Amino acid sequence: KEVVEGETGVQFNRANSMCCPFHSEKTPSFSLDVKKNRVKCFGSCNNSWDSIAFVMEYRDLTYIEACKYLRIDLPESYKEIENNRQKVEGYIKWQFSNIEERKNWSLDTLYEFVNEENKVLYFKAKFKTPEGKRPSYYRIEGDKVIPGLKNKDGEKVVKEVPYNLYRVLDGISKNKKIFIVEGEKDADTLNKKGYIAT
């Protein structure tokens, strides 16, 4: 309740309802379930949120960004992802400073690709370059960041997987609809809205 009222600047009425902040309406369809500590839109959204999911959608944040915003401790599995992400970002900054070809590049987005157990297999970086957008892959071995998915002999040591694989497999097991879109950014947009996309 505090999160929704604080973000929207609107108070729930005595029936714990308000007009939905995600679509325009005259009759309040957005209700707070005090026992479950969740909100649900019974109008055109037909969706429900806890505080993290609400902030993700309302502020267009990732799960990790929303947890940081709400000052909620990340679960251990996400802490590992975040630590590895920081290592990769640090390595990319080093590349920008030390590799001549990359001095005019900038990092657009960094995506993590996970396996069936939600463990990160590799990161895919999308760069803006003078010639246009370009992807590069990075993996973590021990404490080191290794560029690419191949070893020194050119053999692939990490197999590419569909983006968002863990959630996709979970959705399939629960007979949910899976959306297949053009790129990771499109998938993230749908995932933030509560759908499952790859």
Side-chain angles (χ1 to χ4, degrees):
K1 183 177 182 179
E2 288 173 12
V3 168
V4 172
E5 290 181 343
E7 291 297 306
T8 62
V10 178
Q11 304 288 307
F12 284 98
N13 63 22
R14 287 184 183 176
N16 279 327
S17 295
M18 67 166 67
C19 288
C20 180
F22 298 115
H23 73 274
S24 146
E25 63 182 10
K26 292 179 182 174
T27 306
S29 70
F30 193 75
S31 295
L32 172 69
D33 185 327
V34 181
K35 288 181 183 174
K36 292 183 180 175
N37 201 22
R38 293 180 70 85
V39 287
K40 179 171 173 81
C41 172
F42 290 93
S44 63
C45 294
N46 193 29
N47 203 352
S48 69
W49 302 263
D50 61 13
S51 58
I52 297 172
F54 177 82
V55 167
M56 283 173 67
E57 185 159 350
Y58 194 74
R59 292 198 166 262
D60 195 27
L61 301 175
T62 65
Y63 178 82
I64 290 173
E65 290 167 343
C67 286
K68 285 181 178 177
Y69 178 79
L70 292 167
R71 295 187 180 93
I72 294 171
D73 278 342
L74 289 171
E76 285 304 316
S77 59
Y78 280 96
K79 281 182 185 172
E80 185 182 342
I81 291 171
E82 183 63 5
N83 289 340
N84 287 338
R85 172 182 283 276
Q86 287 172 1
K87 286 178 191 172
V88 171
E89 286 174 348
Y91 183 83
I92 288 169
K93 283 179 185 171
W94 177 87
Q95 286 185 315
F96 289 161
S97 302
N98 294 280
I99 298 174
E100 193 61 40
E101 178 200 17
R102 298 201 174 193
K103 288 192 175 175
N104 294 324
W105 289 24
S106 64
L107 179 62
D108 183 31
T109 322
L110 186 63
Y111 300 101
E112 65 264 0
F113 283 73
V114 299
N115 65 11
E116 301 88 349
E117 294 159 358
N118 208 24
K119 298 281 184 195
V120 176
L121 295 172
Y122 59 89
F123 290 85
K124 180 180 181 182
K126 289 199 174 173
F127 294 103
K128 290 179 182 170
T129 77
E131 293 79 35
K133 286 194 177 178
R134 183 170 164 181
S136 283
Y137 296 90
Y138 300 88
R139 65 188 195 276
I140 304 284
E141 283 186 10
D143 272 347
K144 283 188 171 184
V145 177
I146 311 290
L149 304 180
K150 296 178 180 177
N151 64 18
K152 291 175 184 175
D153 300 324
E155 301 163 334
K156 224 171 204 184
V157 291
V158 178
K159 167 175 97 162
E160 288 185 68
V161 296
Y163 184 57
N164 206 25
L165 179 63
Y166 178 77
R167 284 194 66 214
V168 167
L169 293 174
D170 184 59
I172 290 169
S173 74
K174 293 173 180 168
N175 206 27
K176 293 191 174 178
K177 288 183 182 174
I178 310 296
F179 293 85
I180 300 171
V181 295
E182 185 179 353
E184 295 88 0
K185 192 172 188 177
D186 297 330
D188 281 349
T189 300
L190 285 178
N191 290 331
K192 285 177 187 173
K193 295 189 179 297
Y195 300 103
I196 300 173
T198 185

